[in-house]
Amino acid sequence: MKTPFIDKLVKENEFIRRAYNVAKKAHENQKRKSGEPYFNHVLAAGEFIAEWGLDQTSIAAALLHDVVEDTGYPLEKIEAEFGKEVAFIVDGVTKLGKIKYRGIERQVENLRKMILALSQDIRVIIVKLADRLHNMRTLSAVPPQKQKRIALETMEIYSPLAYRLGMQRISGELEDLAFPYIYPKEYRWLIDNTKEKYEEREKYINKVKPIVISALEKAGIEVLAVDSRAKRYSSLYKKLLRYDMNIEKIYDLVALRIIVKNVEDCYAALGVIHNLWPPLPNRIKDYIALPKPNGYRSIHTTVFCLDDKITEIQIRTQEMHEESETGIAAHWLYEQTKGSKSYNEKRSVSADKKELGWVQQLRNWQKELSNPEEFLESLKIDFFRDRIFAITPKGEVIDLPSGATPIDFAYQIHTEIGDSCTGARVNGKIVPLDYALRSGDIVEIINQKNKKPSESWLGFVKTSTARGRIRSALKSKEIRLTKKEPTEVELKITVEDRVGLLKDITLIISRSHVNITSVNTITNAKFPILKIRSDVTNKNKIEKLILKLKKLKEVKEISYQLT
Ligand code: MN
């Protein structure tokens, strides 16, 4: 793979050059499954990020994204050498790598929430997408079992994520790369049945092109580019499923794309096209006036074109075009060229502002894909601000309230795992059981057979699940211990002392036919406390006795306990 963007930056930019050299040295002697040097992978990720127009922080993070996980290079060292932001992105990408989707439907939602929770910096996701794109392009070298899992995860998680970020080209490529691994037979069928059709349409579009260009120029519209866009196999397959696999019904197998200078020219071009060929009714889509939820802008129309062949035509500006290709990344580029500040400062500053809007996009994505109950639930928890997402060593995501501890985590997995918990490791390190977990933490629970929960846990757990289960486990323990009947009562009498008071009290007790077994006096409080034990266990009798004792004006307070 050629890396012109990185090659240029390594020459010109000291920061990126350092990251390049650290990564190169760290991955020295490491090989990928394909046999090629491991460094080629991170280099490719860096190249994508540079090509998509992101800032130097992201490019350095892309180059360094695997050094912590795969070479043991300390994260602290990255922070010291490249700053907090680079370290945060590298750490985030490493954590995202720990989350694995294995086709279990109920996990999809948690995975998406998790990614949201980690996306405090959207650049984490973009670097992860660059990593995934290169891994997908080189997936054939990986063992078949793994291929399928990674392809599925790409199809279900990363491609829709890229789409939501407006990175349509990357989203489409990821889906197309995953498609043959998930649907090998269907893929074969498509290749066999559409190859000629594609070629035929391509030739046809090439005949249409010069007619369009000259008509637009005659109308005084400056044409920046006219090209053809072949429909991707994966989306063609989805569409075919809806059209009884009848390829004749797919009009946008190959579409014509016109790029002009500004929005006015887009509408003017639409007029020129409709003047040439009549449009199909109800097929004009104005995504400029009403952009798609992911920000996509363009005008689409379908016309009875040359020789009455039905053809889709898309019209947009250069800016819209670039945005549709690289989505959010394109914004970095535009903000950059608008301002006059230096490459480094300007980019990272503008990134922050744009980020907010895109995080909003992510939330919309969340909304759109949830079922109604889940949507309501997500509203209640204020869009996960109060949630954290921790991971089991097997990569399952556990959704918890913020401040949740390893005990909450353990009970969320299984009652028994909670009950018999004796310790926890977070990211490989032993932590106290009241440790506050953070999103992305990998939590391993240490268990001991027959161990019972401790009452002290109730003081720090955050989930009602954990609290309820600890209580019920403690209750069953208590019942076992207190099976025997109480045999004594202890009266606790707070008094204002005077000479002869104790004598008066014991007299009242013995007159009530109650035997005293012991008397203790505690005098270090403001008022002395008498602790009198007796062998009476009849509650009625005790209550009557207390009433009699309370008649003494020196008695301030009485409580009792059966033991
Ligand atoms: Mn990687």
PDB file of all heavy atoms in Angstrom, residues 181-201:
ATOM      1  N   TYR A 181     -17.973 -12.484   3.281  1.00  0.00           N
ATOM      2  CA  TYR A 181     -17.653 -13.398   4.388  1.00  0.00           C
ATOM      3  C   TYR A 181     -18.921 -13.850   5.102  1.00  0.00           C
ATOM      4  O   TYR A 181     -18.978 -14.933   5.652  1.00  0.00           O
ATOM      5  CB  TYR A 181     -16.717 -12.723   5.399  1.00  0.00           C
ATOM      6  CG  TYR A 181     -15.337 -12.477   4.838  1.00  0.00           C
ATOM      7  CD1 TYR A 181     -14.997 -11.239   4.320  1.00  0.00           C
ATOM      8  CD2 TYR A 181     -14.386 -13.500   4.796  1.00  0.00           C
ATOM      9  CE1 TYR A 181     -13.739 -11.009   3.780  1.00  0.00           C
ATOM     10  CE2 TYR A 181     -13.127 -13.285   4.268  1.00  0.00           C
ATOM     11  CZ  TYR A 181     -12.809 -12.037   3.757  1.00  0.00           C
ATOM     12  OH  TYR A 181     -11.568 -11.818   3.223  1.00  0.00           O
ATOM     13  N   ILE A 182     -19.935 -12.988   5.087  1.00  0.00           N
ATOM     14  CA  ILE A 182     -21.166 -13.329   5.787  1.00  0.00           C
ATOM     15  C   ILE A 182     -22.141 -14.062   4.874  1.00  0.00           C
ATOM     16  O   ILE A 182     -22.800 -15.007   5.279  1.00  0.00           O
ATOM     17  CB  ILE A 182     -21.815 -12.048   6.369  1.00  0.00           C
ATOM     18  CG1 ILE A 182     -20.810 -11.345   7.300  1.00  0.00           C
ATOM     19  CG2 ILE A 182     -23.082 -12.387   7.155  1.00  0.00           C
ATOM     20  CD1 ILE A 182     -21.250  -9.980   7.747  1.00  0.00           C
ATOM     21  N   TYR A 183     -22.212 -13.619   3.625  1.00  0.00           N
ATOM     22  CA  TYR A 183     -23.113 -14.259   2.656  1.00  0.00           C
ATOM     23  C   TYR A 183     -22.324 -14.741   1.434  1.00  0.00           C
ATOM     24  O   TYR A 183     -22.490 -14.194   0.346  1.00  0.00           O
ATOM     25  CB  TYR A 183     -24.183 -13.276   2.203  1.00  0.00           C
ATOM     26  CG  TYR A 183     -25.013 -12.684   3.308  1.00  0.00           C
ATOM     27  CD1 TYR A 183     -24.807 -11.361   3.725  1.00  0.00           C
ATOM     28  CD2 TYR A 183     -26.014 -13.436   3.922  1.00  0.00           C
ATOM     29  CE1 TYR A 183     -25.585 -10.816   4.738  1.00  0.00           C
ATOM     30  CE2 TYR A 183     -26.790 -12.888   4.930  1.00  0.00           C
ATOM     31  CZ  TYR A 183     -26.569 -11.577   5.330  1.00  0.00           C
ATOM     32  OH  TYR A 183     -27.338 -11.035   6.318  1.00  0.00           O
ATOM     33  N   PRO A 184     -21.478 -15.780   1.596  1.00  0.00           N
ATOM     34  CA  PRO A 184     -20.633 -16.195   0.469  1.00  0.00           C
ATOM     35  C   PRO A 184     -21.432 -16.615  -0.769  1.00  0.00           C
ATOM     36  O   PRO A 184     -21.077 -16.249  -1.882  1.00  0.00           O
ATOM     37  CB  PRO A 184     -19.821 -17.358   1.040  1.00  0.00           C
ATOM     38  CG  PRO A 184     -20.371 -17.660   2.378  1.00  0.00           C
ATOM     39  CD  PRO A 184     -21.243 -16.537   2.809  1.00  0.00           C
ATOM     40  N   LYS A 185     -22.520 -17.369  -0.569  1.00  0.00           N
ATOM     41  CA  LYS A 185     -23.303 -17.866  -1.717  1.00  0.00           C
ATOM     42  C   LYS A 185     -23.986 -16.725  -2.457  1.00  0.00           C
ATOM     43  O   LYS A 185     -23.954 -16.647  -3.682  1.00  0.00           O
ATOM     44  CB  LYS A 185     -24.376 -18.851  -1.222  1.00  0.00           C
ATOM     45  CG  LYS A 185     -23.848 -20.271  -1.093  1.00  0.00           C
ATOM     46  CD  LYS A 185     -24.982 -21.230  -0.778  1.00  0.00           C
ATOM     47  CE  LYS A 185     -24.512 -22.253   0.231  1.00  0.00           C
ATOM     48  NZ  LYS A 185     -25.504 -22.514   1.276  1.00  0.00           N
ATOM     49  N   GLU A 186     -24.619 -15.864  -1.668  1.00  0.00           N
ATOM     50  CA  GLU A 186     -25.331 -14.733  -2.260  1.00  0.00           C
ATOM     51  C   GLU A 186     -24.370 -13.826  -3.028  1.00  0.00           C
ATOM     52  O   GLU A 186     -24.706 -13.294  -4.082  1.00  0.00           O
ATOM     53  CB  GLU A 186     -26.049 -13.926  -1.169  1.00  0.00           C
ATOM     54  CG  GLU A 186     -27.196 -14.661  -0.490  1.00  0.00           C
ATOM     55  CD  GLU A 186     -26.756 -15.595   0.620  1.00  0.00           C
ATOM     56  OE1 GLU A 186     -25.537 -15.874   0.727  1.00  0.00           O
ATOM     57  OE2 GLU A 186     -27.618 -16.052   1.384  1.00  0.00           O
ATOM     58  N   TYR A 187     -23.175 -13.704  -2.478  1.00  0.00           N
ATOM     59  CA  TYR A 187     -22.165 -12.870  -3.114  1.00  0.00           C
ATOM     60  C   TYR A 187     -21.798 -13.441  -4.485  1.00  0.00           C
ATOM     61  O   TYR A 187     -21.744 -12.725  -5.478  1.00  0.00           O
ATOM     62  CB  TYR A 187     -20.927 -12.779  -2.215  1.00  0.00           C
ATOM     63  CG  TYR A 187     -19.796 -11.985  -2.806  1.00  0.00           C
ATOM     64  CD1 TYR A 187     -19.892 -10.603  -2.917  1.00  0.00           C
ATOM     65  CD2 TYR A 187     -18.641 -12.609  -3.268  1.00  0.00           C
ATOM     66  CE1 TYR A 187     -18.868  -9.861  -3.472  1.00  0.00           C
ATOM     67  CE2 TYR A 187     -17.603 -11.881  -3.822  1.00  0.00           C
ATOM     68  CZ  TYR A 187     -17.718 -10.505  -3.922  1.00  0.00           C
ATOM     69  OH  TYR A 187     -16.698  -9.779  -4.473  1.00  0.00           O
ATOM     70  N   ARG A 188     -21.576 -14.752  -4.516  1.00  0.00           N
ATOM     71  CA  ARG A 188     -21.259 -15.441  -5.780  1.00  0.00           C
ATOM     72  C   ARG A 188     -22.360 -15.211  -6.810  1.00  0.00           C
ATOM     73  O   ARG A 188     -22.119 -14.877  -7.957  1.00  0.00           O
ATOM     74  CB  ARG A 188     -21.141 -16.940  -5.546  1.00  0.00           C
ATOM     75  CG  ARG A 188     -19.880 -17.652  -5.424  1.00  0.00           C
ATOM     76  CD  ARG A 188     -18.767 -17.710  -6.382  1.00  0.00           C
ATOM     77  NE  ARG A 188     -18.703 -16.926  -7.602  1.00  0.00           N
ATOM     78  CZ  ARG A 188     -17.694 -16.109  -7.885  1.00  0.00           C
ATOM     79  NH1 ARG A 188     -16.708 -15.936  -7.050  1.00  0.00           N
ATOM     80  NH2 ARG A 188     -17.657 -15.478  -9.035  1.00  0.00           N
ATOM     81  N   TRP A 189     -23.594 -15.385  -6.314  1.00  0.00           N
ATOM     82  CA  TRP A 189     -24.749 -15.214  -7.211  1.00  0.00           C
ATOM     83  C   TRP A 189     -24.758 -13.812  -7.813  1.00  0.00           C
ATOM     84  O   TRP A 189     -24.967 -13.637  -9.016  1.00  0.00           O
ATOM     85  CB  TRP A 189     -26.047 -15.452  -6.419  1.00  0.00           C
ATOM     86  CG  TRP A 189     -27.280 -15.384  -7.263  1.00  0.00           C
ATOM     87  CD1 TRP A 189     -27.898 -16.426  -7.883  1.00  0.00           C
ATOM     88  CD2 TRP A 189     -28.041 -14.197  -7.593  1.00  0.00           C
ATOM     89  NE1 TRP A 189     -28.994 -15.982  -8.572  1.00  0.00           N
ATOM     90  CE2 TRP A 189     -29.104 -14.614  -8.423  1.00  0.00           C
ATOM     91  CE3 TRP A 189     -27.921 -12.852  -7.279  1.00  0.00           C
ATOM     92  CZ2 TRP A 189     -30.050 -13.725  -8.933  1.00  0.00           C
ATOM     93  CZ3 TRP A 189     -28.855 -11.953  -7.792  1.00  0.00           C
ATOM     94  CH2 TRP A 189     -29.909 -12.392  -8.610  1.00  0.00           C
ATOM     95  N   LEU A 190     -24.498 -12.830  -6.994  1.00  0.00           N
ATOM     96  CA  LEU A 190     -24.490 -11.441  -7.448  1.00  0.00           C
ATOM     97  C   LEU A 190     -23.428 -11.214  -8.522  1.00  0.00           C
ATOM     98  O   LEU A 190     -23.695 -10.625  -9.558  1.00  0.00           O
ATOM     99  CB  LEU A 190     -24.208 -10.502  -6.281  1.00  0.00           C
ATOM    100  CG  LEU A 190     -25.383  -9.961  -5.489  1.00  0.00           C
ATOM    101  CD1 LEU A 190     -24.880  -8.940  -4.492  1.00  0.00           C
ATOM    102  CD2 LEU A 190     -26.410  -9.309  -6.406  1.00  0.00           C
ATOM    103  N   ILE A 191     -22.230 -11.705  -8.244  1.00  0.00           N
ATOM    104  CA  ILE A 191     -21.125 -11.529  -9.191  1.00  0.00           C
ATOM    105  C   ILE A 191     -21.508 -12.156 -10.532  1.00  0.00           C
ATOM    106  O   ILE A 191     -21.392 -11.538 -11.583  1.00  0.00           O
ATOM    107  CB  ILE A 191     -19.829 -12.196  -8.654  1.00  0.00           C
ATOM    108  CG1 ILE A 191     -19.391 -11.543  -7.348  1.00  0.00           C
ATOM    109  CG2 ILE A 191     -18.715 -12.148  -9.691  1.00  0.00           C
ATOM    110  CD1 ILE A 191     -18.764 -10.185  -7.484  1.00  0.00           C
ATOM    111  N   ASP A 192     -22.013 -13.396 -10.466  1.00  0.00           N
ATOM    112  CA  ASP A 192     -22.355 -14.115 -11.685  1.00  0.00           C
ATOM    113  C   ASP A 192     -23.492 -13.451 -12.457  1.00  0.00           C
ATOM    114  O   ASP A 192     -23.533 -13.515 -13.675  1.00  0.00           O
ATOM    115  CB  ASP A 192     -22.757 -15.563 -11.353  1.00  0.00           C
ATOM    116  CG  ASP A 192     -21.565 -16.349 -10.823  1.00  0.00           C
ATOM    117  OD1 ASP A 192     -20.430 -15.871 -11.003  1.00  0.00           O
ATOM    118  OD2 ASP A 192     -21.772 -17.427 -10.224  1.00  0.00           O
ATOM    119  N   ASN A 193     -24.421 -12.838 -11.727  1.00  0.00           N
ATOM    120  CA  ASN A 193     -25.611 -12.321 -12.396  1.00  0.00           C
ATOM    121  C   ASN A 193     -25.600 -10.832 -12.710  1.00  0.00           C
ATOM    122  O   ASN A 193     -26.502 -10.352 -13.391  1.00  0.00           O
ATOM    123  CB  ASN A 193     -26.854 -12.637 -11.577  1.00  0.00           C
ATOM    124  CG  ASN A 193     -27.178 -14.116 -11.623  1.00  0.00           C
ATOM    125  OD1 ASN A 193     -27.806 -14.583 -12.568  1.00  0.00           O
ATOM    126  ND2 ASN A 193     -26.707 -14.839 -10.634  1.00  0.00           N
ATOM    127  N   THR A 194     -24.623 -10.126 -12.201  1.00  0.00           N
ATOM    128  CA  THR A 194     -24.678  -8.681 -12.422  1.00  0.00           C
ATOM    129  C   THR A 194     -23.462  -8.121 -13.145  1.00  0.00           C
ATOM    130  O   THR A 194     -23.470  -6.967 -13.553  1.00  0.00           O
ATOM    131  CB  THR A 194     -24.797  -7.924 -11.088  1.00  0.00           C
ATOM    132  OG1 THR A 194     -23.663  -8.247 -10.298  1.00  0.00           O
ATOM    133  CG2 THR A 194     -26.063  -8.262 -10.343  1.00  0.00           C
ATOM    134  N   LYS A 195     -22.434  -8.939 -13.309  1.00  0.00           N
ATOM    135  CA  LYS A 195     -21.198  -8.439 -13.902  1.00  0.00           C
ATOM    136  C   LYS A 195     -21.456  -7.782 -15.261  1.00  0.00           C
ATOM    137  O   LYS A 195     -21.075  -6.642 -15.499  1.00  0.00           O
ATOM    138  CB  LYS A 195     -20.200  -9.598 -14.045  1.00  0.00           C
ATOM    139  CG  LYS A 195     -18.769  -9.135 -14.220  1.00  0.00           C
ATOM    140  CD  LYS A 195     -17.779 -10.260 -13.964  1.00  0.00           C
ATOM    141  CE  LYS A 195     -16.360  -9.813 -14.268  1.00  0.00           C
ATOM    142  NZ  LYS A 195     -16.076  -9.744 -15.716  1.00  0.00           N
ATOM    143  N   GLU A 196     -22.164  -8.506 -16.114  1.00  0.00           N
ATOM    144  CA  GLU A 196     -22.461  -7.970 -17.445  1.00  0.00           C
ATOM    145  C   GLU A 196     -23.322  -6.727 -17.354  1.00  0.00           C
ATOM    146  O   GLU A 196     -23.114  -5.758 -18.080  1.00  0.00           O
ATOM    147  CB  GLU A 196     -23.176  -9.021 -18.296  1.00  0.00           C
ATOM    148  CG  GLU A 196     -22.210  -9.904 -19.047  1.00  0.00           C
ATOM    149  CD  GLU A 196     -22.926 -11.026 -19.775  1.00  0.00           C
ATOM    150  OE1 GLU A 196     -24.037 -10.770 -20.291  1.00  0.00           O
ATOM    151  OE2 GLU A 196     -22.402 -12.145 -19.789  1.00  0.00           O
ATOM    152  N   LYS A 197     -24.286  -6.791 -16.486  1.00  0.00           N
ATOM    153  CA  LYS A 197     -25.198  -5.648 -16.307  1.00  0.00           C
ATOM    154  C   LYS A 197     -24.409  -4.398 -15.922  1.00  0.00           C
ATOM    155  O   LYS A 197     -24.660  -3.319 -16.446  1.00  0.00           O
ATOM    156  CB  LYS A 197     -26.218  -5.935 -15.191  1.00  0.00           C
ATOM    157  CG  LYS A 197     -27.185  -7.013 -15.536  1.00  0.00           C
ATOM    158  CD  LYS A 197     -28.453  -6.424 -16.150  1.00  0.00           C
ATOM    159  CE  LYS A 197     -29.320  -7.539 -16.693  1.00  0.00           C
ATOM    160  NZ  LYS A 197     -29.828  -7.269 -18.032  1.00  0.00           N
ATOM    161  N   TYR A 198     -23.483  -4.586 -14.996  1.00  0.00           N
ATOM    162  CA  TYR A 198     -22.664  -3.459 -14.547  1.00  0.00           C
ATOM    163  C   TYR A 198     -21.893  -2.867 -15.735  1.00  0.00           C
ATOM    164  O   TYR A 198     -21.899  -1.664 -15.963  1.00  0.00           O
ATOM    165  CB  TYR A 198     -21.668  -3.904 -13.468  1.00  0.00           C
ATOM    166  CG  TYR A 198     -22.150  -3.702 -12.061  1.00  0.00           C
ATOM    167  CD1 TYR A 198     -22.318  -4.770 -11.188  1.00  0.00           C
ATOM    168  CD2 TYR A 198     -22.411  -2.411 -11.578  1.00  0.00           C
ATOM    169  CE1 TYR A 198     -22.750  -4.586  -9.884  1.00  0.00           C
ATOM    170  CE2 TYR A 198     -22.843  -2.214 -10.279  1.00  0.00           C
ATOM    171  CZ  TYR A 198     -23.009  -3.310  -9.429  1.00  0.00           C
ATOM    172  OH  TYR A 198     -23.431  -3.115  -8.145  1.00  0.00           O
ATOM    173  N   GLU A 199     -21.253  -3.749 -16.499  1.00  0.00           N
ATOM    174  CA  GLU A 199     -20.428  -3.294 -17.620  1.00  0.00           C
ATOM    175  C   GLU A 199     -21.263  -2.578 -18.671  1.00  0.00           C
ATOM    176  O   GLU A 199     -20.895  -1.530 -19.190  1.00  0.00           O
ATOM    177  CB  GLU A 199     -19.688  -4.487 -18.234  1.00  0.00           C
ATOM    178  CG  GLU A 199     -18.498  -4.902 -17.374  1.00  0.00           C
ATOM    179  CD  GLU A 199     -17.941  -6.278 -17.726  1.00  0.00           C
ATOM    180  OE1 GLU A 199     -18.453  -6.905 -18.684  1.00  0.00           O
ATOM    181  OE2 GLU A 199     -17.008  -6.720 -17.032  1.00  0.00           O
ATOM    182  N   GLU A 200     -22.428  -3.152 -18.925  1.00  0.00           N
ATOM    183  CA  GLU A 200     -23.363  -2.584 -19.888  1.00  0.00           C
ATOM    184  C   GLU A 200     -23.793  -1.180 -19.453  1.00  0.00           C
ATOM    185  O   GLU A 200     -23.773  -0.241 -20.249  1.00  0.00           O
ATOM    186  CB  GLU A 200     -24.585  -3.509 -19.896  1.00  0.00           C
ATOM    187  CG  GLU A 200     -25.500  -3.448 -21.081  1.00  0.00           C
ATOM    188  CD  GLU A 200     -26.645  -4.426 -20.845  1.00  0.00           C
ATOM    189  OE1 GLU A 200     -26.442  -5.651 -21.006  1.00  0.00           O
ATOM    190  OE2 GLU A 200     -27.725  -3.961 -20.425  1.00  0.00           O
ATOM    191  N   ARG A 201     -24.140  -1.044 -18.154  1.00  0.00           N
ATOM    192  CA  ARG A 201     -24.588   0.243 -17.628  1.00  0.00           C
ATOM    193  C   ARG A 201     -23.458   1.283 -17.646  1.00  0.00           C
ATOM    194  O   ARG A 201     -23.691   2.445 -17.942  1.00  0.00           O
ATOM    195  CB  ARG A 201     -25.098   0.097 -16.171  1.00  0.00           C
ATOM    196  CG  ARG A 201     -26.389  -0.644 -16.031  1.00  0.00           C
ATOM    197  CD  ARG A 201     -27.532   0.035 -16.718  1.00  0.00           C
ATOM    198  NE  ARG A 201     -28.079   1.206 -16.015  1.00  0.00           N
ATOM    199  CZ  ARG A 201     -29.103   1.930 -16.456  1.00  0.00           C
ATOM    200  NH1 ARG A 201     -29.674   1.633 -17.602  1.00  0.00           N
ATOM    201  NH2 ARG A 201     -29.547   2.967 -15.779  1.00  0.00           N
TER     202      ARG A 201
END
